[in-house]
Amino acid sequence: MRRAIFPGTFDPFTIGHSSVVSRALTFIDEIVIGIGINENKNTYFPLEKREQMIRDYYRNEPRIIVQSYDCLTIDFARQVDASLIIRGIRTVKDFEYEETIADINRKLTGIETILLFTEPELTCVSSTTVRELLQYGKDISMFIPEGMEIRD
């Protein structure tokens, strides 16, 4: 069985994230959506709410596991017996950052990273932008997966 992790803060989980997961499921048997705990980030949603929203969204997909972690991503990958890391990239800047991290992860552990390019119509969608819209009371329904319940 081929298991991968899809790490991120997911604050909130967007249509871009959902797209990466659905595309990765075409060649991965199981995906652990790993919600990284980063004390340096000011999150909008508490960790427990993010976990529950994503679990509820994927409740009918047995190949998805949602779990939080507070260690290095490569250590988390080892903990859950994942052989791959899945990442989505929107821009050249994202690519350069992800390439560096992927190289380091591979050198340290041998774990490979698969980069999935964002679909062109989703390149403008980022958790940061969606979070800012939320903070100003704007409707974010077009940026989150259909059927996902966003709860404050």
Side-chain angles (χ1 to χ4, degrees):
M1 178 176 71
R2 184 167 283 196
R3 177 181 287 165
I5 62 167
F6 179 39
T9 307
F10 305 116
D11 185 40
F13 192 83
T14 69
I15 55 177
H17 298 131
S18 172
S19 171
V20 168
V21 170
S22 63
R23 291 166 51 212
L25 282 174
T26 65
F27 59 89
I28 300 294
D29 299 314
E30 188 173 75
I31 298 174
V32 179
I33 297 175
I35 304 173
I37 299 169
N38 185 340
E39 300 298 329
N40 296 325
K41 281 193 173 183
N42 293 323
T43 57
Y44 184 86
F45 292 103
L47 175 64
E48 298 77 22
K49 286 198 184 279
R50 286 179 277 150
E51 283 182 293
Q52 195 59 55
M53 287 187 287
I54 298 168
R55 273 194 192 107
D56 288 349
Y57 180 70
Y58 286 110
R59 69 183 160 274
N60 296 321
E61 177 49 78
R63 300 181 303 155
I64 299 290
I65 298 166
V66 180
Q67 194 173 326
S68 61
Y69 67 98
D70 64 354
C71 56
L72 288 174
T73 297
I74 54 173
D75 292 334
F76 177 65
R78 285 180 160 169
Q79 287 172 16
V80 299
D81 198 29
S83 59
L84 297 165
I85 298 170
I86 303 291
R87 297 292 290 164
I89 57 174
R90 293 173 291 132
T91 65
V92 171
K93 183 178 173 184
D94 287 350
F95 177 80
E96 290 173 349
Y97 173 79
E98 294 297 342
E99 179 186 30
T100 301
I101 299 301
D103 288 343
I104 290 170
N105 289 343
R106 187 176 51 257
K107 285 181 198 269
L108 291 174
T109 65
I111 295 174
E112 292 287 350
T113 300
I114 295 175
L115 302 175
L116 295 178
F117 292 92
T118 301
E119 295 166 295
E121 67 273 14
L122 301 179
T123 57
C124 68
V125 180
S126 74
S127 287
T128 302
T129 304
V130 174
R131 191 170 48 251
E132 186 172 355
L133 292 171
L134 266 171
Q135 290 169 337
Y136 285 96
K138 300 298 181 187
D139 177 17
I140 61 161
S141 60
M142 71 179 78
F143 304 115
I144 59 168
E146 188 175 327
M148 176 171 266
E149 290 184 42
I150 296 291
R151 300 169 248 180
D152 284 330

